[in-house]
Amino acid sequence: MRPMSYGQQGGPQSQWDPWKPHSQQPWNSGADETPDWAALAEASESRNKRRRLLFIGGGALATVAVGTAVAVAVVSANSNSDDNSPTSGQSGAALPGSTSRAPSFAPTSAPPPLDPKDFISVKSKDTAPLGAQILFPGTQLPAGGAVYKKGPTDDTKSCSAAAKGGLPKILTDNDCTRLLRASYLDGGTAVTVGVAVFDTEAQATKAASKVNPQKDFIRSLSGQGVKGFCNSTVCLMTANSYGRYAYFTITGFTSGKDVTNKDTEVYRTSNNLKDYTFNQIRRRGEAQASAAANE
């Protein structure tokens, strides 16, 4: 835009300052001069044209800047994607120095296993069927390297009737409710096993502790191929308890011979049947514990 000049009238010159208050434009009052409207129009057009160029140029620069930013963002995204992609020879494990938090789970604990003995220590829990044929099944018993033939069995609620010596009183005093017996034979050696049933473990334990094996014993059971034994001869007798059961053995010869310390086959037979009876009572508890756990 070029500067503009106006004609002046005689007298002191008045300077117009557009930014100074009360300043006057120096019009020549004496001459009939008018502003150069063509020059003003040309200057205005030139100014507007330059503004349009600046605006267009600025818009182009902005477009270039936005395009550059997008390109940088795309390259950056591609770079990050490549860095995070697994490459051959690398595993998915955490890198050295990095931390990986293991998943956490609520603490749990398995329920305690059921104790089989609990089910055979009191009448209210020991509800499985019981009988001489259940406790002593089959017709023969392999045990300890021998095979014992099973003879007669007996099941009575009169505990004292199946006992001798001081055992009838012991059983009665501790409230024995049932006595089951079975006899086994191996050659000339016979054994009768007796199991006395009580309501509680305490009663069975007390009864067994009161027994003197030399004079308190069960009656031997004969029949079904088993000759009478231990009626008036020296025999080997034992007494034990487990849970609410007290169990006894009486072992001797069917020939009427007295048992001595040298008769190892008698001791072996007594131990085999004693262990078998204990295992049968224990299995009874295990079976009931297993059934209760699966309910």
Side-chain angles (χ1 to χ4, degrees), residues 102-110:
S104 60
F105 302 94
T108 59
S109 58

Side-chain angles (χ1 to χ4, degrees), residues 12-285:
Q13 190 176 5
S14 174
Q15 184 67 33
W16 174 60
D17 186 351
W19 304 107
K20 181 185 259 186
H22 308 295
S23 62
Q24 300 291 330
Q25 277 188 317
W27 300 102
N28 289 329
S29 58
D32 188 13
E33 293 184 3
T34 59
D36 189 350
W37 298 110
L40 290 173
E42 182 182 353
S44 177
E45 177 64 22
S46 177
R47 183 169 58 252
N48 292 336
K49 183 177 182 181
R50 182 166 37 176
R51 287 178 180 173
R52 285 196 300 270
L53 290 174
L54 288 174
F55 179 78
I56 294 172
L61 290 175
T63 303
V64 172
V66 171
T68 303
V70 171
V72 170
V74 170
V75 171
S76 176
N78 290 338
S79 176
N80 292 338
S81 177
D82 292 341
D83 290 342
N84 292 331
S85 299
T87 59
S88 60
Q90 292 182 341
S91 66
L95 297 176
S98 65
T99 58
S100 178
R101 185 176 180 181
S104 60
F105 302 94
T108 59
S109 58
L114 299 176
D115 186 354
K117 191 177 179 183
D118 288 345
F119 289 84
I120 54 172
S121 294
V122 62
K123 179 182 179 180
S124 60
K125 285 189 175 182
D126 189 13
T127 58
L130 179 64
Q133 294 297 332
I134 294 174
L135 203 59
F136 306 106
T139 59
Q140 60 183 18
L141 171 64
V147 178
Y148 299 95
K149 177 184 176 182
K150 189 176 79 172
T153 59
D154 181 64
D155 184 349
T156 180
K157 293 182 179 180
S158 177
C159 298
S160 59
K164 294 179 68 174
L167 186 57
K169 184 177 187 306
I170 294 172
L171 297 177
T172 301
D173 289 347
N174 289 281
D175 300 322
C176 174
T177 61
R178 193 172 178 182
L179 204 154
L180 302 89
R181 290 182 296 166
S183 290
Y184 291 88
L185 181 67
D186 177 25
T189 302
V191 56
T192 296
V193 181
V195 177
V197 185
F198 301 85
D199 288 345
T200 66
E201 180 181 13
Q203 292 171 327
T205 301
K206 185 178 179 181
S209 68
K210 294 291 185 180
V211 172
N212 181 346
Q214 295 182 353
K215 59 181 182 180
D216 306 325
F217 49 92
I218 60 171
R219 292 180 179 272
S220 61
L221 187 63
S222 58
Q224 299 182 11
V226 179
K227 295 180 180 179
F229 65 101
C230 296
N231 291 320
S232 59
T233 57
V234 177
C235 290
L236 177 64
M237 293 165 286
T238 65
N240 296 275
S241 69
Y242 186 69
R244 70 186 188 109
Y245 301 93
Y247 56 101
F248 313 91
T249 64
I250 181 169
T251 311
F253 295 113
T254 57
S255 63
K257 174 185 173 184
D258 291 340
V259 174
T260 67
N261 293 336
K262 296 180 180 180
D263 295 320
T264 57
E265 69 272 22
V266 172
Y267 284 88
R268 183 188 66 177
T269 298
S270 176
N271 288 334
N272 287 342
L273 269 297
K274 180 175 62 177
D275 292 345
Y276 172 73
T277 304
F278 167 78
N279 288 331
Q280 285 295 92
I281 297 171
R282 185 184 63 182
R283 290 189 189 103
R284 177 178 174 83

